[in-house]
Amino acid sequence: STKGSTIMGNNTSSGSTSTEASKKRVVVIGTGVGGSCMARIADAAGFQVTAIERRVGAVWKPGGPRAIVDPEWAMTKGLVPLRGIVKGKKSSRIQDDAVQLDAERKIVVLAGGAQVEYDYCVLAVGSQNASPCDPPPQCTTVEGIRAHYDAVNAAIRKATRIVVVGGGAVGIEVAGQVRETVAKGTHVTVVHSGAKLLDVSLPGADPTQMTAFQDRIARKCAEASIELVLGARCTNLSQADCPGGFKEAKDPFPVTLSTGTVLQADLVLWCVGARSNAPHLVPAAALDLQSQLIRVDASLRVIGLPDVFAIGDCTNVPEPKLSVSAGSNVGKTGLPSGHADVVLANLLDRAKGRDPTHVWGGLKSVASIIPVTKAVGGAGLGAPNFLATLKTTKLQYFASSGWAGAGAGKFGKAPVSKEDEIAPSAAVVASGQKEAGAPPHAGDE
């Protein structure tokens, strides 16, 4: 057993990479878009990488609206394999939950009891969305994740009056996917607190462009027979009443709004809010008190922790939380470096004994593509409107990007299975050999 043991990287190079990097151990916690890209490019740069992820695969969050109406797609396209995330002979991946970061001793403590030593740590733990698109934290296995999507899908298909709470991008796309799935006579209503849908600020979008974008989305919802109730909040239900992001009942129940209106629903899909996954891993001084997000400096280094960096949704960087920001954009025309690219450059600085010199400059503009249904299309901001339909059909919610970011091989050809599951705290190195002391298990590669 590895309970209470320490998993240590070997100080040997895995290939023709810099000597400094090959002597350093990098632990990446979380393998969403940012974390999977971070692990992959740090491994390619020669670092000894340990990627820690509690789930058997990486959930491709942009594809969540499709996943809840098509569980088969969710498991074969929307759950990204991690078996190819690192390739270095001394790199490894662990399926377990990181419960403590001891920055003084440079150790990550896992739920299974093992401890993982590091020279540098990158936090990519993201956030837990309230919507049903994101499986609950306890859903970590193939069976658990599939059971969640099956339950939501079954609830959607038997409902007759569906209320989607939240008119942001997730809520709109969920409503659209639901509208395409259910019978024509099923009522689909979106309740949103703002005066307009998508009441967020996007880099590079002037107010006139944003208003036109919002108005087009509202028109498309109307064309798709999705009712909109704007400027209203749900007062008799909360996120706590919707475990797993939904609340269903055999008979319709009241959904009371702040305007005094009472809707009847037999299914509520809660698509508002997200909870940071970061608070237990960093000191209080490194957390934004209001958002509970990790405070980072311009180099994406955690405040007060010189050898710990953070990327993606878990940071307090004042920008929309987008996959294009969190990951690696090297080789992608017209895109600046992503968080992972900036941190890799700074890890190389630290490996050479220097303070970080690379900073995250932010995105100057963002293209947003919101589909409603295939029949009515959707809208694009900074992108052609027709891409909204392609996003859900030929582009399959850009899930191939998730596979590429994790180094998972050809898109969709080898989906996640039980064989990918790893016993808690057991490390699987890329060469197919277990770390010393790791028990045998079905997930060995």
Side-chain angles (χ1 to χ4, degrees), residues 155-164 178-179 182-183 185-189 227 247-253 255 262-269:
I156 289 170
R157 290 179 183 274
K158 68 184 179 185
T160 60
R161 305 188 71 89
I162 300 173
V163 172
V164 178
V178 167
R179 177 76 276 172
V182 297
T186 300
H187 295 268
V188 180
T189 303
E227 182 182 355
K247 174 182 173 63
E248 63 174 329
K250 182 178 179 181
D251 299 314
F253 54 88
V255 178
V262 179
L263 304 175
Q264 294 296 317
D266 52 6
L267 176 64
V268 169
L269 301 173

PDB file of all heavy atoms in Angstrom, residues 155-164 178-179 182-183 185-189 227 247-253 255 262-269:
ATOM      1  N   ALA A 155     -34.214  12.358 -17.040  1.00  0.00           N
ATOM      2  CA  ALA A 155     -35.105  13.387 -16.492  1.00  0.00           C
ATOM      3  C   ALA A 155     -35.570  14.344 -17.590  1.00  0.00           C
ATOM      4  O   ALA A 155     -36.740  14.748 -17.635  1.00  0.00           O
ATOM      5  CB  ALA A 155     -34.396  14.157 -15.382  1.00  0.00           C
ATOM      6  N   ILE A 156     -34.661  14.706 -18.486  1.00  0.00           N
ATOM      7  CA  ILE A 156     -35.000  15.623 -19.581  1.00  0.00           C
ATOM      8  C   ILE A 156     -36.029  14.991 -20.507  1.00  0.00           C
ATOM      9  O   ILE A 156     -37.016  15.626 -20.900  1.00  0.00           O
ATOM     10  CB  ILE A 156     -33.728  16.001 -20.367  1.00  0.00           C
ATOM     11  CG1 ILE A 156     -32.839  16.927 -19.522  1.00  0.00           C
ATOM     12  CG2 ILE A 156     -34.089  16.669 -21.707  1.00  0.00           C
ATOM     13  CD1 ILE A 156     -31.457  17.166 -20.104  1.00  0.00           C
ATOM     14  N   ARG A 157     -35.831  13.730 -20.837  1.00  0.00           N
ATOM     15  CA  ARG A 157     -36.679  13.089 -21.848  1.00  0.00           C
ATOM     16  C   ARG A 157     -38.097  12.788 -21.342  1.00  0.00           C
ATOM     17  O   ARG A 157     -39.013  12.666 -22.155  1.00  0.00           O
ATOM     18  CB  ARG A 157     -35.993  11.818 -22.357  1.00  0.00           C
ATOM     19  CG  ARG A 157     -34.765  12.128 -23.202  1.00  0.00           C
ATOM     20  CD  ARG A 157     -34.053  10.900 -23.703  1.00  0.00           C
ATOM     21  NE  ARG A 157     -32.850  11.264 -24.451  1.00  0.00           N
ATOM     22  CZ  ARG A 157     -32.815  11.557 -25.748  1.00  0.00           C
ATOM     23  NH1 ARG A 157     -33.937  11.524 -26.450  1.00  0.00           N
ATOM     24  NH2 ARG A 157     -31.687  11.883 -26.337  1.00  0.00           N
ATOM     25  N   LYS A 158     -38.269  12.704 -20.038  1.00  0.00           N
ATOM     26  CA  LYS A 158     -39.623  12.431 -19.550  1.00  0.00           C
ATOM     27  C   LYS A 158     -40.336  13.677 -19.034  1.00  0.00           C
ATOM     28  O   LYS A 158     -41.514  13.621 -18.689  1.00  0.00           O
ATOM     29  CB  LYS A 158     -39.585  11.347 -18.466  1.00  0.00           C
ATOM     30  CG  LYS A 158     -38.911  11.756 -17.171  1.00  0.00           C
ATOM     31  CD  LYS A 158     -38.848  10.551 -16.229  1.00  0.00           C
ATOM     32  CE  LYS A 158     -38.159  10.918 -14.916  1.00  0.00           C
ATOM     33  NZ  LYS A 158     -37.981   9.745 -14.039  1.00  0.00           N
ATOM     34  N   ALA A 159     -39.634  14.816 -18.992  1.00  0.00           N
ATOM     35  CA  ALA A 159     -40.238  16.048 -18.484  1.00  0.00           C
ATOM     36  C   ALA A 159     -41.171  16.667 -19.520  1.00  0.00           C
ATOM     37  O   ALA A 159     -41.009  16.483 -20.729  1.00  0.00           O
ATOM     38  CB  ALA A 159     -39.141  17.047 -18.099  1.00  0.00           C
ATOM     39  N   THR A 160     -42.129  17.424 -19.025  1.00  0.00           N
ATOM     40  CA  THR A 160     -43.059  18.144 -19.914  1.00  0.00           C
ATOM     41  C   THR A 160     -42.982  19.649 -19.738  1.00  0.00           C
ATOM     42  O   THR A 160     -43.374  20.403 -20.620  1.00  0.00           O
ATOM     43  CB  THR A 160     -44.512  17.692 -19.649  1.00  0.00           C
ATOM     44  OG1 THR A 160     -44.863  17.965 -18.282  1.00  0.00           O
ATOM     45  CG2 THR A 160     -44.681  16.201 -19.929  1.00  0.00           C
ATOM     46  N   ARG A 161     -42.462  20.103 -18.594  1.00  0.00           N
ATOM     47  CA  ARG A 161     -42.316  21.533 -18.332  1.00  0.00           C
ATOM     48  C   ARG A 161     -40.930  21.739 -17.702  1.00  0.00           C
ATOM     49  O   ARG A 161     -40.720  21.449 -16.520  1.00  0.00           O
ATOM     50  CB  ARG A 161     -43.414  22.059 -17.410  1.00  0.00           C
ATOM     51  CG  ARG A 161     -44.844  21.764 -17.911  1.00  0.00           C
ATOM     52  CD  ARG A 161     -45.892  22.468 -17.065  1.00  0.00           C
ATOM     53  NE  ARG A 161     -45.877  23.910 -17.305  1.00  0.00           N
ATOM     54  CZ  ARG A 161     -46.600  24.507 -18.263  1.00  0.00           C
ATOM     55  NH1 ARG A 161     -47.372  23.786 -19.078  1.00  0.00           N
ATOM     56  NH2 ARG A 161     -46.552  25.814 -18.405  1.00  0.00           N
ATOM     57  N   ILE A 162     -39.999  22.248 -18.506  1.00  0.00           N
ATOM     58  CA  ILE A 162     -38.600  22.373 -18.081  1.00  0.00           C
ATOM     59  C   ILE A 162     -38.240  23.840 -17.905  1.00  0.00           C
ATOM     60  O   ILE A 162     -38.471  24.666 -18.796  1.00  0.00           O
ATOM     61  CB  ILE A 162     -37.660  21.725 -19.125  1.00  0.00           C
ATOM     62  CG1 ILE A 162     -38.002  20.238 -19.291  1.00  0.00           C
ATOM     63  CG2 ILE A 162     -36.201  21.903 -18.715  1.00  0.00           C
ATOM     64  CD1 ILE A 162     -37.251  19.560 -20.419  1.00  0.00           C
ATOM     65  N   VAL A 163     -37.669  24.165 -16.748  1.00  0.00           N
ATOM     66  CA  VAL A 163     -37.191  25.520 -16.472  1.00  0.00           C
ATOM     67  C   VAL A 163     -35.674  25.474 -16.341  1.00  0.00           C
ATOM     68  O   VAL A 163     -35.137  24.707 -15.526  1.00  0.00           O
ATOM     69  CB  VAL A 163     -37.817  26.096 -15.192  1.00  0.00           C
ATOM     70  CG1 VAL A 163     -37.146  27.424 -14.820  1.00  0.00           C
ATOM     71  CG2 VAL A 163     -39.319  26.306 -15.379  1.00  0.00           C
ATOM     72  N   VAL A 164     -34.994  26.278 -17.153  1.00  0.00           N
ATOM     73  CA  VAL A 164     -33.538  26.430 -17.076  1.00  0.00           C
ATOM     74  C   VAL A 164     -33.262  27.722 -16.324  1.00  0.00           C
ATOM     75  O   VAL A 164     -33.674  28.803 -16.762  1.00  0.00           O
ATOM     76  CB  VAL A 164     -32.895  26.481 -18.475  1.00  0.00           C
ATOM     77  CG1 VAL A 164     -31.382  26.686 -18.361  1.00  0.00           C
ATOM     78  CG2 VAL A 164     -33.206  25.215 -19.256  1.00  0.00           C
ATOM     79  N   VAL A 178     -31.715  20.873 -25.080  1.00  0.00           N
ATOM     80  CA  VAL A 178     -32.935  20.275 -24.535  1.00  0.00           C
ATOM     81  C   VAL A 178     -34.087  20.428 -25.523  1.00  0.00           C
ATOM     82  O   VAL A 178     -34.849  19.487 -25.771  1.00  0.00           O
ATOM     83  CB  VAL A 178     -33.279  20.923 -23.177  1.00  0.00           C
ATOM     84  CG1 VAL A 178     -34.693  20.562 -22.745  1.00  0.00           C
ATOM     85  CG2 VAL A 178     -32.276  20.489 -22.115  1.00  0.00           C
ATOM     86  N   ARG A 179     -34.212  21.616 -26.104  1.00  0.00           N
ATOM     87  CA  ARG A 179     -35.288  21.860 -27.067  1.00  0.00           C
ATOM     88  C   ARG A 179     -35.224  20.883 -28.238  1.00  0.00           C
ATOM     89  O   ARG A 179     -36.248  20.391 -28.724  1.00  0.00           O
ATOM     90  CB  ARG A 179     -35.182  23.307 -27.568  1.00  0.00           C
ATOM     91  CG  ARG A 179     -36.174  23.746 -28.648  1.00  0.00           C
ATOM     92  CD  ARG A 179     -37.539  23.994 -28.052  1.00  0.00           C
ATOM     93  NE  ARG A 179     -38.327  22.773 -27.915  1.00  0.00           N
ATOM     94  CZ  ARG A 179     -39.485  22.713 -27.279  1.00  0.00           C
ATOM     95  NH1 ARG A 179     -39.977  23.768 -26.672  1.00  0.00           N
ATOM     96  NH2 ARG A 179     -40.148  21.576 -27.206  1.00  0.00           N
ATOM     97  N   VAL A 182     -36.352  17.114 -26.682  1.00  0.00           N
ATOM     98  CA  VAL A 182     -37.675  16.788 -26.138  1.00  0.00           C
ATOM     99  C   VAL A 182     -38.764  16.916 -27.208  1.00  0.00           C
ATOM    100  O   VAL A 182     -38.549  17.461 -28.290  1.00  0.00           O
ATOM    101  CB  VAL A 182     -38.015  17.709 -24.946  1.00  0.00           C
ATOM    102  CG1 VAL A 182     -37.025  17.490 -23.825  1.00  0.00           C
ATOM    103  CG2 VAL A 182     -38.042  19.179 -25.376  1.00  0.00           C
ATOM    104  N   ALA A 183     -39.955  16.419 -26.873  1.00  0.00           N
ATOM    105  CA  ALA A 183     -41.092  16.488 -27.791  1.00  0.00           C
ATOM    106  C   ALA A 183     -41.506  17.934 -28.035  1.00  0.00           C
ATOM    107  O   ALA A 183     -41.266  18.821 -27.202  1.00  0.00           O
ATOM    108  CB  ALA A 183     -42.267  15.698 -27.207  1.00  0.00           C
ATOM    109  N   GLY A 185     -44.236  19.463 -27.861  1.00  0.00           N
ATOM    110  CA  GLY A 185     -45.161  20.059 -26.902  1.00  0.00           C
ATOM    111  C   GLY A 185     -44.568  20.354 -25.541  1.00  0.00           C
ATOM    112  O   GLY A 185     -45.238  20.944 -24.680  1.00  0.00           O
ATOM    113  N   THR A 186     -43.321  19.968 -25.324  1.00  0.00           N
ATOM    114  CA  THR A 186     -42.671  20.212 -24.035  1.00  0.00           C
ATOM    115  C   THR A 186     -42.320  21.695 -23.895  1.00  0.00           C
ATOM    116  O   THR A 186     -41.750  22.295 -24.803  1.00  0.00           O
ATOM    117  CB  THR A 186     -41.396  19.364 -23.906  1.00  0.00           C
ATOM    118  OG1 THR A 186     -41.744  17.981 -24.009  1.00  0.00           O
ATOM    119  CG2 THR A 186     -40.708  19.611 -22.573  1.00  0.00           C
ATOM    120  N   HIS A 187     -42.652  22.290 -22.756  1.00  0.00           N
ATOM    121  CA  HIS A 187     -42.344  23.694 -22.502  1.00  0.00           C
ATOM    122  C   HIS A 187     -40.893  23.816 -22.024  1.00  0.00           C
ATOM    123  O   HIS A 187     -40.474  23.107 -21.107  1.00  0.00           O
ATOM    124  CB  HIS A 187     -43.270  24.262 -21.434  1.00  0.00           C
ATOM    125  CG  HIS A 187     -44.713  24.317 -21.852  1.00  0.00           C
ATOM    126  ND1 HIS A 187     -45.281  25.421 -22.449  1.00  0.00           N
ATOM    127  CD2 HIS A 187     -45.693  23.388 -21.773  1.00  0.00           C
ATOM    128  CE1 HIS A 187     -46.552  25.172 -22.709  1.00  0.00           C
ATOM    129  NE2 HIS A 187     -46.836  23.937 -22.317  1.00  0.00           N
ATOM    130  N   VAL A 188     -40.131  24.726 -22.645  1.00  0.00           N
ATOM    131  CA  VAL A 188     -38.761  25.012 -22.222  1.00  0.00           C
ATOM    132  C   VAL A 188     -38.663  26.503 -21.954  1.00  0.00           C
ATOM    133  O   VAL A 188     -38.892  27.320 -22.850  1.00  0.00           O
ATOM    134  CB  VAL A 188     -37.725  24.596 -23.288  1.00  0.00           C
ATOM    135  CG1 VAL A 188     -36.307  24.921 -22.802  1.00  0.00           C
ATOM    136  CG2 VAL A 188     -37.840  23.111 -23.614  1.00  0.00           C
ATOM    137  N   THR A 189     -38.331  26.865 -20.719  1.00  0.00           N
ATOM    138  CA  THR A 189     -38.276  28.265 -20.303  1.00  0.00           C
ATOM    139  C   THR A 189     -36.918  28.559 -19.687  1.00  0.00           C
ATOM    140  O   THR A 189     -36.407  27.776 -18.877  1.00  0.00           O
ATOM    141  CB  THR A 189     -39.375  28.573 -19.267  1.00  0.00           C
ATOM    142  OG1 THR A 189     -40.656  28.251 -19.814  1.00  0.00           O
ATOM    143  CG2 THR A 189     -39.355  30.039 -18.861  1.00  0.00           C
ATOM    144  N   GLU A 227     -39.024  29.902 -24.284  1.00  0.00           N
ATOM    145  CA  GLU A 227     -39.562  31.103 -23.637  1.00  0.00           C
ATOM    146  C   GLU A 227     -38.485  31.735 -22.754  1.00  0.00           C
ATOM    147  O   GLU A 227     -37.737  31.038 -22.061  1.00  0.00           O
ATOM    148  CB  GLU A 227     -40.782  30.742 -22.784  1.00  0.00           C
ATOM    149  CG  GLU A 227     -41.430  31.947 -22.117  1.00  0.00           C
ATOM    150  CD  GLU A 227     -42.603  31.577 -21.232  1.00  0.00           C
ATOM    151  OE1 GLU A 227     -42.984  30.380 -21.213  1.00  0.00           O
ATOM    152  OE2 GLU A 227     -43.131  32.473 -20.553  1.00  0.00           O
ATOM    153  N   LYS A 247     -33.389  19.319 -10.542  1.00  0.00           N
ATOM    154  CA  LYS A 247     -34.435  18.884  -9.613  1.00  0.00           C
ATOM    155  C   LYS A 247     -35.607  18.411 -10.449  1.00  0.00           C
ATOM    156  O   LYS A 247     -36.121  19.156 -11.295  1.00  0.00           O
ATOM    157  CB  LYS A 247     -34.867  20.039  -8.711  1.00  0.00           C
ATOM    158  CG  LYS A 247     -36.065  19.723  -7.800  1.00  0.00           C
ATOM    159  CD  LYS A 247     -36.465  20.937  -6.980  1.00  0.00           C
ATOM    160  CE  LYS A 247     -37.755  20.692  -6.192  1.00  0.00           C
ATOM    161  NZ  LYS A 247     -37.607  19.610  -5.190  1.00  0.00           N
ATOM    162  N   GLU A 248     -36.024  17.181 -10.239  1.00  0.00           N
ATOM    163  CA  GLU A 248     -37.141  16.621 -10.994  1.00  0.00           C
ATOM    164  C   GLU A 248     -38.234  16.150 -10.051  1.00  0.00           C
ATOM    165  O   GLU A 248     -37.996  15.905  -8.863  1.00  0.00           O
ATOM    166  CB  GLU A 248     -36.680  15.452 -11.872  1.00  0.00           C
ATOM    167  CG  GLU A 248     -36.128  14.267 -11.110  1.00  0.00           C
ATOM    168  CD  GLU A 248     -35.807  13.081 -12.005  1.00  0.00           C
ATOM    169  OE1 GLU A 248     -36.496  12.902 -13.027  1.00  0.00           O
ATOM    170  OE2 GLU A 248     -34.879  12.326 -11.667  1.00  0.00           O
ATOM    171  N   ALA A 249     -39.445  16.033 -10.577  1.00  0.00           N
ATOM    172  CA  ALA A 249     -40.568  15.531  -9.793  1.00  0.00           C
ATOM    173  C   ALA A 249     -41.586  14.917 -10.740  1.00  0.00           C
ATOM    174  O   ALA A 249     -41.683  15.292 -11.916  1.00  0.00           O
ATOM    175  CB  ALA A 249     -41.206  16.657  -8.988  1.00  0.00           C
ATOM    176  N   LYS A 250     -42.332  13.969 -10.214  1.00  0.00           N
ATOM    177  CA  LYS A 250     -43.343  13.301 -11.032  1.00  0.00           C
ATOM    178  C   LYS A 250     -44.439  14.273 -11.443  1.00  0.00           C
ATOM    179  O   LYS A 250     -44.922  14.259 -12.582  1.00  0.00           O
ATOM    180  CB  LYS A 250     -43.935  12.126 -10.260  1.00  0.00           C
ATOM    181  CG  LYS A 250     -44.968  11.325 -11.041  1.00  0.00           C
ATOM    182  CD  LYS A 250     -45.471  10.142 -10.226  1.00  0.00           C
ATOM    183  CE  LYS A 250     -46.510   9.358 -11.012  1.00  0.00           C
ATOM    184  NZ  LYS A 250     -47.032   8.205 -10.220  1.00  0.00           N
ATOM    185  N   ASP A 251     -44.836  15.143 -10.500  1.00  0.00           N
ATOM    186  CA  ASP A 251     -45.874  16.131 -10.774  1.00  0.00           C
ATOM    187  C   ASP A 251     -45.262  17.525 -10.776  1.00  0.00           C
ATOM    188  O   ASP A 251     -44.285  17.791 -10.051  1.00  0.00           O
ATOM    189  CB  ASP A 251     -46.973  16.057  -9.712  1.00  0.00           C
ATOM    190  CG  ASP A 251     -47.657  14.697  -9.690  1.00  0.00           C
ATOM    191  OD1 ASP A 251     -47.997  14.213 -10.801  1.00  0.00           O
ATOM    192  OD2 ASP A 251     -47.834  14.141  -8.598  1.00  0.00           O
ATOM    193  N   PRO A 252     -45.815  18.442 -11.569  1.00  0.00           N
ATOM    194  CA  PRO A 252     -45.280  19.808 -11.617  1.00  0.00           C
ATOM    195  C   PRO A 252     -45.254  20.469 -10.237  1.00  0.00           C
ATOM    196  O   PRO A 252     -46.157  20.264  -9.422  1.00  0.00           O
ATOM    197  CB  PRO A 252     -46.244  20.528 -12.564  1.00  0.00           C
ATOM    198  CG  PRO A 252     -46.777  19.444 -13.441  1.00  0.00           C
ATOM    199  CD  PRO A 252     -46.907  18.245 -12.540  1.00  0.00           C
ATOM    200  N   PHE A 253     -44.207  21.245  -9.980  1.00  0.00           N
ATOM    201  CA  PHE A 253     -44.064  21.978  -8.727  1.00  0.00           C
ATOM    202  C   PHE A 253     -43.859  23.460  -9.056  1.00  0.00           C
ATOM    203  O   PHE A 253     -43.432  23.807 -10.169  1.00  0.00           O
ATOM    204  CB  PHE A 253     -42.901  21.427  -7.895  1.00  0.00           C
ATOM    205  CG  PHE A 253     -41.580  21.377  -8.625  1.00  0.00           C
ATOM    206  CD1 PHE A 253     -40.707  22.462  -8.625  1.00  0.00           C
ATOM    207  CD2 PHE A 253     -41.198  20.224  -9.318  1.00  0.00           C
ATOM    208  CE1 PHE A 253     -39.491  22.412  -9.286  1.00  0.00           C
ATOM    209  CE2 PHE A 253     -39.981  20.152  -9.992  1.00  0.00           C
ATOM    210  CZ  PHE A 253     -39.126  21.259  -9.986  1.00  0.00           C
ATOM    211  N   VAL A 255     -42.283  27.160  -9.338  1.00  0.00           N
ATOM    212  CA  VAL A 255     -41.010  27.874  -9.367  1.00  0.00           C
ATOM    213  C   VAL A 255     -41.366  29.358  -9.246  1.00  0.00           C
ATOM    214  O   VAL A 255     -41.849  29.976 -10.195  1.00  0.00           O
ATOM    215  CB  VAL A 255     -40.232  27.608 -10.673  1.00  0.00           C
ATOM    216  CG1 VAL A 255     -38.935  28.416 -10.689  1.00  0.00           C
ATOM    217  CG2 VAL A 255     -39.937  26.118 -10.832  1.00  0.00           C
ATOM    218  N   VAL A 262     -45.270  32.831 -10.993  1.00  0.00           N
ATOM    219  CA  VAL A 262     -45.057  31.460 -10.547  1.00  0.00           C
ATOM    220  C   VAL A 262     -45.145  30.546 -11.764  1.00  0.00           C
ATOM    221  O   VAL A 262     -46.183  30.466 -12.426  1.00  0.00           O
ATOM    222  CB  VAL A 262     -46.086  31.028  -9.491  1.00  0.00           C
ATOM    223  CG1 VAL A 262     -45.838  29.572  -9.088  1.00  0.00           C
ATOM    224  CG2 VAL A 262     -46.013  31.932  -8.270  1.00  0.00           C
ATOM    225  N   LEU A 263     -44.026  29.891 -12.076  1.00  0.00           N
ATOM    226  CA  LEU A 263     -43.993  28.926 -13.170  1.00  0.00           C
ATOM    227  C   LEU A 263     -44.238  27.529 -12.617  1.00  0.00           C
ATOM    228  O   LEU A 263     -43.975  27.265 -11.433  1.00  0.00           O
ATOM    229  CB  LEU A 263     -42.623  28.969 -13.876  1.00  0.00           C
ATOM    230  CG  LEU A 263     -42.160  30.317 -14.425  1.00  0.00           C
ATOM    231  CD1 LEU A 263     -40.736  30.183 -14.975  1.00  0.00           C
ATOM    232  CD2 LEU A 263     -43.099  30.833 -15.502  1.00  0.00           C
ATOM    233  N   GLN A 264     -44.720  26.647 -13.461  1.00  0.00           N
ATOM    234  CA  GLN A 264     -44.873  25.244 -13.097  1.00  0.00           C
ATOM    235  C   GLN A 264     -43.814  24.434 -13.843  1.00  0.00           C
ATOM    236  O   GLN A 264     -43.612  24.625 -15.043  1.00  0.00           O
ATOM    237  CB  GLN A 264     -46.273  24.738 -13.452  1.00  0.00           C
ATOM    238  CG  GLN A 264     -47.389  25.391 -12.645  1.00  0.00           C
ATOM    239  CD  GLN A 264     -47.295  25.065 -11.156  1.00  0.00           C
ATOM    240  OE1 GLN A 264     -47.037  23.918 -10.764  1.00  0.00           O
ATOM    241  NE2 GLN A 264     -47.485  26.084 -10.317  1.00  0.00           N
ATOM    242  N   ALA A 265     -43.127  23.547 -13.127  1.00  0.00           N
ATOM    243  CA  ALA A 265     -42.069  22.741 -13.744  1.00  0.00           C
ATOM    244  C   ALA A 265     -42.067  21.342 -13.153  1.00  0.00           C
ATOM    245  O   ALA A 265     -42.387  21.151 -11.975  1.00  0.00           O
ATOM    246  CB  ALA A 265     -40.710  23.390 -13.523  1.00  0.00           C
ATOM    247  N   ASP A 266     -41.722  20.379 -13.981  1.00  0.00           N
ATOM    248  CA  ASP A 266     -41.426  19.046 -13.444  1.00  0.00           C
ATOM    249  C   ASP A 266     -39.933  18.742 -13.556  1.00  0.00           C
ATOM    250  O   ASP A 266     -39.469  17.676 -13.170  1.00  0.00           O
ATOM    251  CB  ASP A 266     -42.273  17.951 -14.089  1.00  0.00           C
ATOM    252  CG  ASP A 266     -42.233  17.961 -15.608  1.00  0.00           C
ATOM    253  OD1 ASP A 266     -41.452  18.745 -16.180  1.00  0.00           O
ATOM    254  OD2 ASP A 266     -42.998  17.195 -16.225  1.00  0.00           O
ATOM    255  N   LEU A 267     -39.180  19.724 -14.067  1.00  0.00           N
ATOM    256  CA  LEU A 267     -37.718  19.613 -14.108  1.00  0.00           C
ATOM    257  C   LEU A 267     -37.111  21.018 -14.122  1.00  0.00           C
ATOM    258  O   LEU A 267     -37.495  21.856 -14.922  1.00  0.00           O
ATOM    259  CB  LEU A 267     -37.242  18.848 -15.347  1.00  0.00           C
ATOM    260  CG  LEU A 267     -35.723  18.754 -15.538  1.00  0.00           C
ATOM    261  CD1 LEU A 267     -35.069  17.969 -14.400  1.00  0.00           C
ATOM    262  CD2 LEU A 267     -35.376  18.107 -16.879  1.00  0.00           C
ATOM    263  N   VAL A 268     -36.178  21.241 -13.185  1.00  0.00           N
ATOM    264  CA  VAL A 268     -35.395  22.479 -13.172  1.00  0.00           C
ATOM    265  C   VAL A 268     -33.937  22.118 -13.421  1.00  0.00           C
ATOM    266  O   VAL A 268     -33.393  21.220 -12.768  1.00  0.00           O
ATOM    267  CB  VAL A 268     -35.527  23.222 -11.822  1.00  0.00           C
ATOM    268  CG1 VAL A 268     -34.503  24.353 -11.729  1.00  0.00           C
ATOM    269  CG2 VAL A 268     -36.936  23.782 -11.657  1.00  0.00           C
ATOM    270  N   LEU A 269     -33.325  22.789 -14.375  1.00  0.00           N
ATOM    271  CA  LEU A 269     -31.893  22.631 -14.658  1.00  0.00           C
ATOM    272  C   LEU A 269     -31.200  23.901 -14.178  1.00  0.00           C
ATOM    273  O   LEU A 269     -31.440  24.990 -14.706  1.00  0.00           O
ATOM    274  CB  LEU A 269     -31.674  22.413 -16.159  1.00  0.00           C
ATOM    275  CG  LEU A 269     -32.379  21.194 -16.761  1.00  0.00           C
ATOM    276  CD1 LEU A 269     -32.225  21.179 -18.280  1.00  0.00           C
ATOM    277  CD2 LEU A 269     -31.839  19.905 -16.164  1.00  0.00           C
TER     278      LEU A 269
END
